[in-house]
Amino acid sequence: MSERLAPGDTAPDFTLSTDTGESVTLSDLRGEKVIVYFYPAAMTPGCTKQACDFSESLDSLKGDGYTVLGISPDKPEKLAKFRDKEHLTLTLLSDPDKQVMTQWGAFGEKKLYGKTVQGVIRSTVVVDEDGKVENAWYNVKATGHVAKLRKDLGLQGDLTA
């Protein structure tokens, strides 16, 4: 089982490809607060709902100083289709070998329909300006997660209004 990150930990650095083929390196974002969220698969109902919620809240999260990165094991081509189909505005990153997910505690044993399986653990980690973990949530619910995250971070209002 992979270790989960906890507040105060240094966030493991990574460089991953976006749906447009560019690369994003976490350490390049020092000085910004970064919300990194891990989801199992593009174009599935729960992941679509979560990605749309993040997209709808993106302007407000940016206004509060946050960059949002969504990471899944999907290939960049599938992420590009996901972005186009759902009109997503956030940065989607591809982690096909699940190496970053494992380092961040977002891949490992989980319960699925009563069985223990290996898979992506829906997780959200907030990284501060110095690259340290500010908050980490594991096994989050896809629906309503962004509203809860905003509340937990002390951000005003819900932007879906």
Side-chain angles (χ1 to χ4, degrees):
M1 172 108 181
S2 52
E3 288 294 311
R4 293 191 169 179
L5 297 177
D9 289 349
T10 298
D13 199 18
F14 61 77
T15 300
L16 291 173
S17 295
T18 68
D19 60 310
T20 60
E22 298 168 73
S23 289
V24 171
T25 300
L26 183 64
S27 57
D28 289 348
L29 300 173
R30 286 285 192 293
E32 299 177 40
K33 294 179 277 191
V34 183
I35 296 169
V36 181
Y37 85 97
F38 297 92
Y39 62 100
M43 296 194 265
T44 56
C47 296
T48 298
K49 174 76 179 118
Q50 188 178 23
C52 289
D53 284 354
F54 268 117
S55 249
E56 288 165 14
S57 288
L58 196 60
D59 287 343
S60 126
L61 289 167
K62 278 183 179 170
D64 287 317
Y66 290 92
T67 297
V68 178
L69 303 174
I71 300 177
S72 78
D74 297 304
K75 300 249 184 288
E77 303 76 39
K78 184 173 180 188
L79 295 176
K81 286 181 188 148
F82 187 37
R83 170 188 300 285
D84 292 346
K85 181 173 186 264
E86 302 300 336
H87 310 290
L88 301 173
T89 54
L90 59 133
T91 303
L92 300 174
L93 300 173
S94 172
D95 183 20
D97 62 7
K98 303 172 191 79
Q99 189 175 347
V100 173
M101 293 182 168
T102 301
Q103 288 178 322
W104 286 60
F107 185 84
E109 281 190 2
K110 66 178 189 173
K111 292 271 190 222
L112 188 67
Y113 306 114
K115 290 187 176 134
T116 301
V117 297
Q118 287 284 318
V120 177
I121 299 161
R122 191 181 301 278
S123 314
T124 301
V125 179
V126 178
V127 180
D128 71 14
E129 297 89 339
D130 298 320
K132 298 279 189 205
V133 173
E134 191 175 296
N135 284 297
W137 296 273
Y138 291 92
N139 295 308
V140 301
K141 300 229 177 302
T143 305
H145 175 60
V146 175
K148 183 182 181 321
L149 177 67
R150 294 180 60 76
K151 187 171 176 247
D152 289 349
L153 294 174
L155 304 176
Q156 296 307 308
D158 186 328
L159 280 259
T160 52

